Amino acid sequence: MKIGRDTPLNPTVNDIARVAQVSLATVDRVLNERPGVRKVTVEKVNRAIADLGYVRDTAAANLARGRVYRFLFILPATNNEFVDLIENQVADLSVGLKRERTRLSCTRVPAFDPMALADAINALDPTQVDGVAIFGPETPSVRDSISRLRQHGVSVVSLVADIPSSERNTYVGIDNIAAGRTAAQLMGRFLGPVSGNILVVTGSMLARDHLERRLGFDEVMSRDFPNLNILASLEGRDDPDLIEKLLPQAMTGSRDILGIYSSAAGNAGLIRHFDKHPDVKRPKIIAHELTPLSRAALGAGLFDAVISQDSGHLVRSAVRIMRAHSDSAPINLAQERIRIDIYLKENLPPDAGGTLGG
C-alpha cells in the first residue's frame, strides 16, 4: 500500500476507502468494530488508517450513532463530608455534561464492607453502563467483581483509594503514602525536639488509602523524628460518635499525647471531644480533606493543618478517563494527576467547595 505526495492533510473515511480499496460501508464497520468483515480486510483498513494518519472525530461519530456515555460512581455510605462533596460534584458536573451526551449517577454502599461493594458491582448490567468509578476496599471479592466488569468492556477507575491488584484501568487520587509522609513532616516540625506520643486516628486498616497514609507517616516519623512515639491506630470507621467514645481512654493515663494525625473522616467526634474537655492540653492536630467542618476547625485554631485533594478535580478526571477508555483514546496523565494540597489557617481559600482546579 503506497501513500503518494498527494496524501491529504486531513484524511477522511473516503481517503481510507480509496487507499484500502474497500467500500465506505466496510470502513464504517471496521471503525465501529462491527462484525462481518474478514480479518484480512480489517488489517487493510487499519493499515490505511495508520499510513494516512487518520484521527477519528470521536464526538462526531458518537453523535451520528446517538451514543450516550453512562458513568456510575460507587461511593461509601458513611458520615463523611468529603464523600458528600464528591457526590455533590458528580451532581453538578452531570448537569453540564448532558449536552455532551454523558449521564452521571451515584450509588452508595456500606463503608468498609467489601462483600456489599462486590454485590453492588455484580448487580450492575454491563450493557447499561460504560464506566464505573469505585471508592472502596481492596479484597479478592472486589477484585473478582471488577474483573467481571472489565471482561464485558466496562472501564473501571479506582477513586481516592487504589485497588492496584485488580484489573481497574486507572487510579484517580492523591499518592496516599506521600500524603502520610507529608503529615509526618508537618507534625515533626510543628512539635520540634520534645518527646512524647502521637495518636493516629484512622477509619479502617481494611481501607488502602488509610493504610498507605499510616505507612508513609510511620516511615518519616521513625527516620526523622525518633523523639516521637507513634501509638497504635485508633480505628474510628469514619464514625464521629465512635471516635468521640474512643478518645477519652486514648487521651488519658500516663501517655503524653502531643499530636493527633486524623488520617480519615469522623472529625466531628474529634472536635466534640475537645469542646467537652477544654481543660485538656490541646495537641497538634493534622487532618485530611478540606470540608466545611475542617475549614472551621482550621479557622478556630483547633486543627493546625489539613492535607487535602480537590473533589472537583477527582470527579472531572474520573469522567475524562472513563470516557477516554471507552473511546480507546489517549489520556493526558499530567492533567489527571491529583495534587496534594496543604492548608493552614493563613492560606484558607475563599471557596472551600472543592472546585479549585483540574
Side-chain angles (χ1 to χ4, degrees), residues 251 273-283:
M251 296 292 294
H273 170 81
F274 287 104
D275 284 345
K276 291 179 180 179
H277 301 86
D279 54 325
V280 174
K281 181 182 178 181
R282 186 184 68 82

Side-chain angles (χ1 to χ4, degrees), residues 184-204:
Q185 280 292 344
L186 291 171
M187 184 68 76
R189 292 169 184 266
F190 285 163
L191 291 173
V194 298
S195 297
N197 294 301
I198 306 296
L199 179 64
V200 177
V201 180
T202 189
S204 169

Side-chain angles (χ1 to χ4, degrees), residues 180-194 197-200 217 220-221 225 227-228 230 258-262 283-287 304-305 307:
R181 291 181 184 137
T182 302
Q185 280 292 344
L186 291 171
M187 184 68 76
R189 292 169 184 266
F190 285 163
L191 291 173
V194 298
N197 294 301
I198 306 296
L199 179 64
V200 177
F217 190 79
V220 170
M221 275 295 178
F225 307 103
N227 53 304
L228 299 171
I230 316 304
L258 301 181
I260 296 177
Y261 174 34
S262 179
K284 297 294 183 182
I285 299 177
I286 297 172
D304 297 275
I307 297 169

Side-chain angles (χ1 to χ4, degrees), residues 26-72:
T26 298
V27 173
D28 180 74
R29 283 196 291 271
V30 173
L31 286 174
N32 292 290
E33 299 180 353
R34 297 193 185 100
V37 184
R38 292 185 303 161
K39 182 179 179 181
V40 64
T41 304
V42 171
E43 291 173 352
K44 283 176 60 178
V45 172
N46 285 332
R47 191 159 59 249
I49 290 171
D51 290 342
L52 286 165
Y54 172 79
V55 178
R56 191 181 190 197
D57 186 340
T58 304
N62 288 337
L63 182 63
R65 289 185 292 166
R67 177 176 183 177
V68 175
Y69 296 93
R70 299 154 300 178
F71 300 138
L72 172 67

Side-chain angles (χ1 to χ4, degrees), residues 235-247 272:
E235 293 191 47
R237 301 187 69 80
D238 288 356
D239 183 343
D241 294 333
L242 178 59
I243 291 173
E244 185 181 7
K245 180 180 178 181
L246 294 174
L247 274 173
R272 289 201 301 260

Side-chain angles (χ1 to χ4, degrees), residues 153-226:
V154 178
S155 61
V156 176
V157 167
S158 55
L159 191 69
V160 180
D162 197 8
I163 313 176
S165 61
S166 73
E167 296 178 31
R168 59 96 175 110
N169 295 94
T170 311
Y171 165 61
V172 177
I174 59 172
D175 180 335
N176 284 296
I177 292 179
R181 291 181 184 137
T182 302
Q185 280 292 344
L186 291 171
M187 184 68 76
R189 292 169 184 266
F190 285 163
L191 291 173
V194 298
S195 297
N197 294 301
I198 306 296
L199 179 64
V200 177
V201 180
T202 189
S204 169
M205 298 312 286
L206 279 177
R208 188 179 184 92
D209 52 334
H210 302 177
L211 177 61
E212 288 181 340
R213 291 172 188 175
R214 174 73 202 235
L215 290 173
F217 190 79
D218 288 352
E219 176 191 336
V220 170
M221 275 295 178
S222 63
R223 183 191 69 203
D224 295 346
F225 307 103

